[in-house]
Amino acid sequence: MIRVVPCNASDNVYCTLLAKSAVHGAMAGYTGFTDGPVHGRECYLPFYVS
């Protein structure tokens, strides 16, 4: 993620949430995904390289 504003305390919480979600997805065996918020909920977002 690219930002043009200084970091604040909520960035730490957000990065921790993204990291935990990514680890859970990897431990569940998912590949080819990223995680992120969609309508206020953490979701696995598939991506494909063609």
Side-chain angles (χ1 to χ4, degrees), residues 7-33:
C7 296
N8 58 29
S10 66
D11 291 336
N12 184 22
V13 174
Y14 181 64
C15 288
T16 301
L17 183 63
L18 288 177
K20 285 183 180 181
S21 184
V23 169
H24 282 278
M27 296 295 266
Y30 296 128
T31 59
F33 78 96

Side-chain angles (χ1 to χ4, degrees), residues 35-46:
D35 59 324
V38 176
H39 299 293
R41 300 185 71 181
E42 285 297 311
C43 298
Y44 299 134
L45 305 168

